[in-house]
Amino acid sequence: MLGIPLGDLVPLVLALLAAGVVTGLLAGMFGVGGGAVIVPVLYQIFGFLGVPEDVRMHLCVGTSLAIIIPTSVQSYRAHRAKGKVLEDVLKVWAVPVALSVLAGGAIAAFAPPLVLKLVFVLVAASNATKLLAGRDDWRIAPELPGKVGMRAYGVLIGLASSLMGIGGGAISNMILTLHGKAIHNAVATSSGLGVLISIPGAISYILAGWSKMPVLPPLSVGYVSLLGFALIAPVSAYFAPFGARLAHRMQKRTLEVAFGLFLVVVSARFIWGIFF
């Protein structure tokens, strides 16, 4: 079926469904889109489908961004119901994030995988160091900057997120907490940021991969696999509210350590890929 031996189809479907569960819980708990889980699972599956190496990673990233759309929406709605989202921050970030995501998607379509991995490791390792250190006195400033500074942050978040195929939570959480915002507010606000990133991100990868349609697997639209989207997105969207509820029940320090360890694991995966 679709080029996959029937004997391999069941474990592949189970892997996709399991990835959907983990993705949804991560999105709800940490305000991240779950791209760090989705991308490696899709990479393996697209390998079974015989997707050429030169387009496989791009297909993974584009599909990941598409899957993040419903997951982020559900996560954002759950966090907003708790009253923790910093809506003013999202309003300032909306335009610069969306525009920089489109630009980043165009760049990522031609950038080598090594560049994308190095960017991710740098951001994730920096964030993990701060969270695991547990130093509340680490601050860039006691308050967020003015609109010019916030828009600059928006460009950074959108560009880096589109290069890594993630929802932006790892970057925005670090920025917000370094400016004195509580981790629960940072996580809640980052869930809304995932919506701003995933929609233009998915569109940019569809456009970037349009000319590659002849070498992409069936049911692909540009660099977005409708098969991967259909199997993972509904499950991740369903479980995102459960992750949000867990986040609001956890103590501040527990949430910081959990998120820090998550970033360490993800960074280690990328480092392993770079050297091995």
Side-chain angles (χ1 to χ4, degrees), residues 134-207:
R135 294 291 300 272
D136 290 335
D137 56 336
W138 285 8
R139 293 284 185 274
I140 292 177
E143 298 290 339
L144 289 167
K147 288 187 177 181
V148 173
M150 287 295 288
R151 287 175 183 142
Y153 275 144
V155 171
L156 171 65
I157 293 169
L159 189 61
S161 298
S162 60
L163 289 174
M164 296 183 282
I166 61 174
I171 307 170
S172 58
N173 281 333
M174 181 169 60
I175 290 174
L176 291 172
T177 54
L178 283 174
H179 286 84
K181 301 303 177 184
I183 184 65
H184 289 87
N185 292 112
V187 167
T189 306
S190 295
S191 66
L193 194 63
V195 180
L196 297 175
I197 290 172
S198 58
I199 295 175
I203 293 173
S204 69
Y205 274 83
I206 288 174
L207 296 176

Side-chain angles (χ1 to χ4, degrees), residues 51 99 127 146 152 159 193 202 211 251 258 264 273:
V51 178
L99 292 178
N127 202 346
L159 189 61
L193 194 63
S211 63
Q251 295 295 320
V264 168

Side-chain angles (χ1 to χ4, degrees), residues 16 19-21 23-24 27 32-35 37-39 41-42 46 59-74 165 194 198-199 201-202 223-238 240:
L16 282 170
V21 174
T23 297
V32 300
V37 177
I38 300 170
V39 170
V41 172
L42 290 179
F46 292 151
L59 184 63
C60 293
V61 173
T63 305
S64 173
L65 288 168
I67 292 169
I68 289 170
I69 295 173
T71 305
S72 296
V73 170
Q74 288 293 86
S198 58
I199 295 175
Y223 285 135
V224 172
S225 167
L226 298 181
L227 176 63
F229 177 85
L231 288 176
I232 295 180
V235 179
S236 62
Y238 176 79

Side-chain angles (χ1 to χ4, degrees), residues 39-115:
V39 170
V41 172
L42 290 179
Y43 192 85
Q44 182 66 31
I45 290 171
F46 292 151
F48 278 109
L49 289 172
V51 178
E53 184 69 26
D54 59 339
V55 297
R56 192 188 307 175
M57 189 65 185
H58 301 98
L59 184 63
C60 293
V61 173
T63 305
S64 173
L65 288 168
I67 292 169
I68 289 170
I69 295 173
T71 305
S72 296
V73 170
Q74 288 293 86
S75 177
Y76 171 63
R77 291 178 62 187
H79 281 291
R80 190 180 185 187
K82 297 288 185 179
K84 297 291 185 179
V85 178
L86 304 175
E87 300 287 356
D88 291 343
V89 172
L90 289 181
K91 289 178 182 178
V92 176
W93 273 345
V95 174
V97 164
L99 292 178
S100 58
V101 164
L102 291 172
I107 295 172
F110 304 99
L114 177 61
V115 173

